[in-house]
């Protein structure tokens, strides 16, 4: 399993351990992984871009959980093919569907193609924006009552990484061969609503201040997708709310407000 110490990785490892599995996880920092993950997890420390480490980490593995930031994921897939991995769950991004020509969309599609052409059984998860991206606002919230960000006022059906993890556990432990799942949270929320929910979670009244310059936004609106991303402004049209989390896990995805309450300590 790659990405095991991340926002969705930690809940996924916990869920697999709860179900009696013993995942082997890769990390570049075993000490940190040890502090985040349950006891008994098989931790392989190393760099996924090093072929010897990759071969060692993959020895004896039959199922691989792979995400896009895992060094060079296509290389990881090639090594997995050589070492006899038969089933892969690959996490990419819903931008593969909504913005296939953007940098992330193209990278996601290329990696997905490499997985299917590699002859693996398995499934692709395409999540939308994670609720945990707002952790980037934590310092601003600790230091004051206003979050200043560009948002263009767009609403987005953010998903709790814990719900991506719940779907990942299902797709790893059951047979979902050939499936591609688009994952979103239960409702579209704007940056203003996110900040309000974070305020409720930390017990303070917070406000949001738009910092995107209207002229720049208009330029982005009419520019190629690459430009829209390169200026770093969150300007993604909502993909709409999808029912996949509920369909696969039998329960509704967490709202942004629920995620904020669960993670309030990170903003205090
Ligand atoms: N955030 C979003 O809005 C969003 C939306 C759609 C899809 N996704 C996808 O969801 C996946 C997980 O996101 P996340 O928020 O859980 O990520 P995250 O918390 O930022 O992930 C950090 C994890 O990435 C690993 N990592 C980072 N760079 C690496 C590298 N060069 N080589 C090997 N491992 C590396 C880290 O491992 P170490 O233990 O080695 O540090 C750590 O486990 C990503 O593939 C992301 O593209 C995210």
């Amino acid at each position: 399993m790659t990405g095991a110490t991340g926002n969705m990785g930690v809940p996924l490892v916990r869920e697999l351990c709860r179900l009696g599995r013993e995942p082997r996880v890769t990390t570049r920092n075993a000490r940190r992984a040890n502090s985040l993950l349950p006891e008994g997890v098989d931790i392989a420390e190393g760099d996924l871009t090093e072929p010897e480490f990759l071969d060692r980490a993959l020895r004896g593995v039959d199922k691989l959980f792979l995400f896009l930031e895992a060094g060079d994921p296509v290389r990881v897939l090639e090594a997995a093919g050589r070492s006899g991995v038969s089933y892969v769950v690959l996490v990419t991004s819903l931008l593969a569907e909504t913005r296939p020509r953007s940098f992330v969309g193209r990278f996601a599609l290329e990696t997905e193609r490499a997985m299917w052409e590699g002859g693996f059984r398995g499934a692709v998860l395409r999540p939308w924006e994670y609720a945990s991206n707002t952790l980037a606002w934590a310092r601003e919230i600790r230091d004051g009552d206003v979050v200043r960000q560009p948002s263009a006022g767009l609403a987005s059906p953010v998903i709790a990484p814990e719900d991506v993890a719940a779907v990942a556990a299902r797709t790893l432990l059951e047979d979902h061969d050939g499936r591609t799942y688009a994952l979103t949270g239960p409702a579209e929320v704007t940056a203003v609503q996110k900040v309000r929910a974070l305020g409720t979670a930390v017990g303070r009244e917070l406000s949001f201040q738009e910092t995107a310059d209207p002229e720049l936004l208009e330029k982005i609106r009419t520019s190629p997708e690459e430009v829209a991303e390169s200026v770093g402004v969150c300007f993604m049209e909502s993909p709409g709310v999808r029912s996949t989390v509920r369909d696969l896990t039998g329960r509704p995805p967490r709202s942004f407000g629920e995620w904020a309450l669960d993670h309030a300590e990170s903003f205090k």
Side-chain angles (χ1 to χ4, degrees):
M1 185 179 155
T2 60
T5 57
N7 294 306
M8 68 155 298
V10 172
L12 175 54
V13 175
R14 289 200 182 126
E15 178 66 359
L16 293 173
C17 291
R18 194 184 66 79
L19 295 168
R21 303 302 169 122
E22 294 173 345
R24 177 182 301 159
V25 308
T26 64
T27 178
R28 293 161 300 169
N29 185 339
R31 196 188 312 168
R32 185 167 166 273
N34 257 315
S35 71
L36 291 170
L37 301 175
E39 262 179 43
V41 172
D42 179 2
I43 293 173
E45 185 181 50
D47 184 336
L48 288 168
T49 59
E50 284 173 13
E52 304 82 52
F53 171 67
L54 202 47
D55 289 342
R56 188 156 41 87
L58 285 164
R59 206 164 295 148
V61 170
D62 57 345
K63 290 188 176 183
L64 171 67
F65 176 78
L66 180 62
F67 78 139
L68 282 186
E69 283 79 29
D72 178 344
V74 174
R75 284 263 167 79
V76 178
L77 285 166
E78 286 164 3
R82 285 196 303 276
S83 79
V85 168
S86 57
Y87 190 92
V88 178
V89 173
L90 172 66
V91 179
T92 63
S93 163
L94 198 40
L95 293 178
E97 177 191 312
T98 63
R99 292 219 168 199
R101 288 183 297 123
S102 65
F103 175 77
V104 176
R106 277 200 316 262
F107 184 36
L109 286 168
E110 273 167 32
T111 312
E112 292 178 9
R113 198 173 310 120
M115 172 186 151
W116 298 125
E117 288 176 357
F120 299 100
R121 296 168 55 73
V124 170
L125 310 184
R126 290 177 173 173
W128 188 246
E129 180 191 358
Y130 288 0
S132 47
N133 293 355
T134 56
L135 289 168
W137 302 346
R139 180 177 296 180
E140 226 174 333
I141 290 175
R142 275 194 292 270
D143 291 350
D145 294 334
V146 184
V147 174
R148 295 176 184 83
Q149 293 287 330
S151 79
L154 289 174
S156 163
V158 283
I159 184 164
E162 289 82 355
D163 287 319
V164 183
V167 170
R170 291 274 170 149
T171 47
L172 275 167
L173 300 178
E174 300 166 357
D175 188 356
H176 289 257
D177 183 35
R179 307 301 300 268
T180 295
Y181 294 120
L183 307 173
T184 72
E188 293 174 334
V189 284
T190 61
V192 172
Q193 290 167 322
K194 287 181 198 167
V195 169
R196 206 174 291 144
L198 289 168
T200 303
V202 299
R204 282 168 32 222
E205 197 166 319
L206 303 176
S207 63
F208 180 79
Q209 192 177 313
E210 178 66 54
T211 58
D213 149 12
E215 259 179 50
L216 176 67
L217 287 177
E218 190 46 40
K219 215 160 141 193
I220 293 167
R221 225 185 289 268
T222 53
S223 311
E225 302 184 37
E226 286 74 7
V227 177
E229 280 184 17
S230 69
V231 294
V233 176
C234 173
F235 196 73
M236 305 291 174
E237 301 285 343
S238 167
V241 171
R242 311 290 174 95
S243 64
T244 327
V245 172
R246 185 195 281 270
D247 297 344
L248 287 177
T249 67
R251 53 165 192 72
R254 292 161 183 79
S255 65
F256 182 79
E258 287 170 295
W259 179 88
L261 286 171
D262 287 346
H263 294 269
E265 287 309 312
S266 304
F267 295 88
K268 284 182 180 167

